[in-house]
Amino acid sequence: YKAEALNSSDFDRSYKASVSYQLKQRKPIYENKIDSVYIDKSFKYIPEPIKQGVFINSIISANYNSYKDGNYQKYFKIGLGPEIVLGDFKKYFFDYTRLSVLPIYKFKSGESIFKFDQVLENFTVDLNFDQHLFGSWLIETQGTLNLDKDSDNYGKFIYSRIAMNFKKRSYSLGIFYQPYDQAGGINFTLNGFK
């Protein structure tokens, strides 16, 4: 790598060796029964039935990064939070809503030699809100709120993304903007490939 150094505006070079593990799970607390998995003409906007209900999402992650001169950074991340999904995304207006809140805590030691790679925030909350508007149009929002009181960015969104997607059974096409990074783009997804 060649990137901006952690404690200066100069560029530094180093190898980076990483070992990581992540486990994500979504467990239902209450889930509506899906009447039929048969795909018929009512599935204009989605490739498969939506699992509606209340869920608990969890994440466990461990990461170790090694750099030149014996520098290292390691952390253990754990998160647990609710998700609510309502609607079938079959009707023309407001037929799908998803809200997810995932508090995440990181235990870390060591430092990266690069600014872009340094784990700074120990406590964050990932927020997601998706809303079907009409027809094939869906707005998706994501954000990571920094709740680490020792951080310069306390109380601020350190990641955010807003997307407007046009969804059909076989594909999705959309535009997105990331206000925090001041970046945007176009995304295209083909459904049915695993």
Side-chain angles (χ1 to χ4, degrees):
Y1 282 95
K2 180 179 180 183
E4 189 176 355
L6 179 62
N7 297 316
S8 76
S9 59
D10 296 332
F11 281 82
D12 200 353
R13 289 180 184 265
S14 175
Y15 67 86
K16 177 183 174 184
S18 296
V19 176
S20 61
Y21 172 79
Q22 181 169 285
L23 175 66
K24 289 183 174 183
Q25 292 189 320
R26 182 181 191 228
K27 297 290 184 184
I29 294 176
Y30 168 77
E31 189 172 5
N32 280 357
K33 183 180 176 192
I34 296 174
D35 295 331
S36 173
V37 292
Y38 176 71
I39 307 300
D40 59 21
K41 66 181 182 179
S42 68
F43 286 81
K44 291 189 281 189
Y45 311 124
I46 55 173
E48 59 189 11
I50 291 175
K51 294 181 180 177
Q52 298 181 59
V54 179
F55 305 88
I56 290 290
N57 292 325
S58 65
I59 184 169
I60 296 172
S61 177
N63 192 13
Y64 178 85
N65 296 323
S66 176
Y67 310 91
K68 71 177 184 179
D69 300 329
N71 293 299
Y72 73 93
Q73 175 178 242
K74 61 183 176 179
Y75 69 85
F76 176 75
K77 174 170 78 172
I78 187 165
L80 183 73
E83 178 181 14
I84 299 170
V85 179
L86 304 169
D88 291 315
F89 209 134
K90 290 182 177 182
K91 298 175 186 162
Y92 192 74
F93 289 107
F94 298 107
D95 191 29
Y96 173 76
T97 302
R98 183 178 80 91
L99 175 64
S100 173
V101 179
L102 185 64
I104 296 175
Y105 197 83
K106 293 178 188 167
F107 303 90
K108 64 178 182 169
S109 68
E111 286 188 336
S112 169
I113 65 169
F114 299 122
K115 196 172 283 184
F116 82 92
D117 202 27
Q118 177 65 22
V119 175
L120 296 174
E121 292 77 18
N122 288 329
F123 182 45
T124 59
V125 176
D126 288 350
L127 303 167
N128 293 278
F129 178 71
D130 302 342
Q131 179 63 58
H132 170 227
L133 299 175
F134 63 91
S136 298
W137 293 101
L138 175 75
I139 189 165
E140 297 175 328
T141 62
Q142 301 171 359
T144 300
L145 182 62
N146 181 2
L147 296 178
D148 184 351
K149 291 186 179 183
D150 295 330
S151 172
D152 293 338
N153 292 320
Y154 173 72
K156 297 179 183 174
F157 280 93
I158 56 172
Y159 172 78
S160 54
R161 184 177 192 270
I162 302 164
M164 179 63 80
N165 292 318
F166 183 82
K167 296 180 79 67
K168 287 293 191 177
R169 183 184 340 182
S170 59
Y171 69 92
S172 174
L173 175 65
I175 58 171
F176 67 90
Y177 180 64
Q178 296 169 308
Y180 182 79
D181 298 325
Q182 295 182 349
I186 298 170
N187 58 342
F188 179 73
T189 304
L190 285 174
N191 297 321
F193 296 98
K194 295 200 180 202

